[in-house]
């Protein structure tokens, strides 16, 4: 079986990362990505498909204890109420606003990122949103 290597273009100066979303086809499909901002800060984000038209991205950092939301990104989304669920204490977040609506950090937000179309098929650009 041939090995496929995908060359990622260099992100623009305000981009955190360019991420391959081509495998995120169904609601709840998600992947981690590493990012680096303009000041050199690094972190890990999550890119998640909410529905056929919507991809969201956020910092993989729960506002309750400041830990990753979960090691398996495919288990972060609960389709019953379209919530992101932290694996540690099950806090539930709205994927569009990042607001914790149920759980131990109610009223706090995930750090949401902007997602826009990238420079190639299936690629998206992730940037800071400036909101949270
Ligand atoms: S660490 Fe996420 S709900 Fe407690």
């Amino acid at each position: 079986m041939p090995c496929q290597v995908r060359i990622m273009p260099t992100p623009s100066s305000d981009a955190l990362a360019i991420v391959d979303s081509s495998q995120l086809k169904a609601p709840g499909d998600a992947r981690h990505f590493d990012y680096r901002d303009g000041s050199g800060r690094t972190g890990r984000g999550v890119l998640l498909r909410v529905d056929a038209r919507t991809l969201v991205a956020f910092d993989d950092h729960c506002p309750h204890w400041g830990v990753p939301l979960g090691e398996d990104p495919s288990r972060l989304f609960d389709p019953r109420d379209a919530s992101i669920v932290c694996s540690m204490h099950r806090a539930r977040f709205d994927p569009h606003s990042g607001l914790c609506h149920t759980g131990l950090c109610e009223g706090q937000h995930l750090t949401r990122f902007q997602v826009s179309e990238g420079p190639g098929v299936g690629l998206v650009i992730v940037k800071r949103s400036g909101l949270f």
Side-chain angles (χ1 to χ4, degrees):
M1 175 183 242
C3 176
Q4 291 190 336
V5 176
R6 193 155 192 184
I7 305 297
M8 296 299 206
T10 303
S12 64
S13 60
D14 60 342
L16 295 173
I18 295 178
V19 184
D20 183 353
S21 67
S22 61
Q23 300 302 310
L24 309 182
K25 297 182 174 159
D29 287 352
R31 60 168 295 178
H32 287 126
F33 61 91
D34 294 322
Y35 67 84
R36 175 183 297 270
D37 68 15
S39 62
R41 178 176 171 261
T42 59
R44 185 172 79 171
V46 178
L47 181 68
L48 169 79
R49 178 160 298 285
V50 177
D51 57 40
R53 299 172 139 197
T54 312
L55 283 166
V56 297
F58 46 89
D59 200 15
D60 185 21
H61 177 104
C62 179
H64 179 224
W65 274 7
V67 298
L69 292 159
E71 285 309 309
D72 181 356
S74 70
R75 299 175 61 100
L76 292 177
F77 188 71
D78 185 343
R80 294 174 298 180
D81 66 350
S83 290
I84 295 167
V85 182
C86 178
S87 64
M88 185 67 76
H89 304 110
R90 316 302 296 167
R92 305 176 79 82
F93 301 87
D94 177 275
H96 302 285
S97 67
L99 176 68
C100 177
H101 58 77
T102 308
L104 296 168
C105 50
E106 204 168 303
Q108 295 182 295
H109 287 83
L110 298 172
T111 300
R112 283 285 322 275
F113 298 144
Q114 286 180 6
V115 178
S116 58
E117 194 172 320
V121 176
L123 297 179
V124 296
I125 298 173
V126 178
K127 298 179 181 179
R128 287 214 180 275
S129 73
L131 295 176
F132 300 104

